[in-house]
Amino acid sequence: MNHLLSIEELSREQIEKIVDLGCELKKDRKASPQVLTGQQWALIFSKSSTRTRVSFEVGIRELGGSVMFLSSADIQLGRGEPIKDTARVMGRMIHGAVIRTFAQQDVVDFAQYSGIPTINALTDDEHPCQVIADLQTIKERLGGWQGKRLCFLGDGDCNMARSWIWASVHLGFELVIGAPKAFQPQESFMQRVPSGTIRIVDDPAEAVRGCDVVYTDVWVSMGKEAESADRIETLKPWQINSELLKHANQGAIVMHCLPAYRGKEITDEVMEAHADVIFEQAENRLHAQKAIIVEITRKS
Ligand code: CP
Ligand code: NVA
C-alpha cells in the first residue's frame, strides 16, 4: 500500500489495521514514530479546508517531516499546468503529497506520475481520510461497527456517502442511505457496488429507524454552490432534528464530518447535544491520518 486514493480500493484488513494504529497513536502524541525524518511533504489544495489542512500539517510534523501548503491558486496548476507535469516536477523534490481537488482522476494521475506516496484529502468522488477517522470514532464510542446500523442522510450521492458505501462493502456493517430520489447514489456508481450491500430509503423516519449512528454532511458540497437554493429546498425534510432522532435506537450517536450548517442539515440543538462525538471526529483526523502516513510509507 503506497497511496491512499479511495476507500473503494482498500481491503477490510487494511482499513482495520489503519484504524487500530490510529487508536494506538492517539494514546501518546509525543511518542509518534519519526517515520518522516528528513522528508518534505506538500499539501496541494484546490478547495477550502480547515480540519484536513491543520490535521495534516500537524500530523506530518509530529511524524518528523516538514510540510508546505500549496493552494492551487498560487501554483501553475491553477493556471492550467497539467496534473501529470506538476506531479513529475514534485516527485523529483518532495517525498509525499496530500491532494484536495475535484476529479478523482487527478489524484490517481498524481500518484502515478509523481511516484511518491499520495493521499486523497477529498475529491468529488471520495473523502477516505474522513471515513477512516470516523471509523476510529465509532470504535471508541460503540466498541466497533460489527452488527451496527449507520444511516447517512441528505446528499446520498456526495463524496462522503460514496466513501461510506465502500466502507460498508468492505467491513460488512449495515448502511442505509436516506435521501430523496434526486440525491440518491447514481445508477452508474451503484453498478460498481455489490448488489444487496446497502439499502436506499426515501423516507427520513424509515431511514433512521433502528440506527446506532445517524450521519450527515453539508447539503451543498464544495463545487455545487450554483445549486444551493434547489438543494436546500429539496433536502429540507432530511434535517437531523430531535423529532427525527426519536426514530433512531436508544443511545444512537449523531455524526457530522463538518463544517456544519446549523438550521440546514442539522439543528443547533442536536449539534450541541452531540458535540462531544462530532468534535472527536475532527480530532481523530489527526490520529487517523498519521496512521495512514505510517502505513503508506512503511518499507516492506
Ligand atoms: N471534514 C473536513 O474535511 O473538513 P475541512 O473541509 O475543514 O478540511
Ligand atoms: N461533501 C463535503 C465534505 C466536506 C468535508 C464537500 O465535498 O464539500
Side-chain angles (χ1 to χ4, degrees), residues 47 100 122 127 158-160 217-218 220-222 257-259:
K47 292 176 176 172
R100 170 168 283 203
L122 181 148
H127 196 0
C158 74
N159 41 18
M160 282 304 309
D217 182 12
V218 293
V220 184
S221 284
M222 291 180 278
C257 56
L258 301 177

Side-chain angles (χ1 to χ4, degrees), residues 190-211:
M190 287 307 291
Q191 278 168 4
R192 306 212 306 268
V193 177
S195 61
T197 26
I198 64 155
R199 206 149 59 85
I200 301 174
V201 172
D202 67 2
D203 174 70
E206 174 59 22
V208 166
R209 189 159 297 126
C211 285

Side-chain angles (χ1 to χ4, degrees), residues 48-53 100 127 130 222 257-259 285:
S48 307
S49 171
T50 299
R51 282 142 288 271
T52 310
R53 176 179 177 173
R100 170 168 283 203
H127 196 0
Q130 182 72 51
M222 291 180 278
C257 56
L258 301 177
R285 297 292 303 280

Side-chain angles (χ1 to χ4, degrees), residues 50-69:
T50 299
R51 282 142 288 271
T52 310
R53 176 179 177 173
V54 174
S55 54
F56 268 112
E57 289 205 22
V58 172
I60 288 166
R61 291 194 186 103
E62 287 190 358
L63 294 172
S66 297
V67 58
M68 68 191 86
F69 180 80

Side-chain angles (χ1 to χ4, degrees), residues 213-215 240 245 252-256 266 270 274 277-278 281:
V213 180
V214 180
Y215 198 108
I240 303 186
L245 280 181
I253 60 171
V254 173
M255 299 181 78
H256 193 312
I266 193 165
V270 171
H274 294 267
V277 172
I278 292 169
Q281 289 177 256

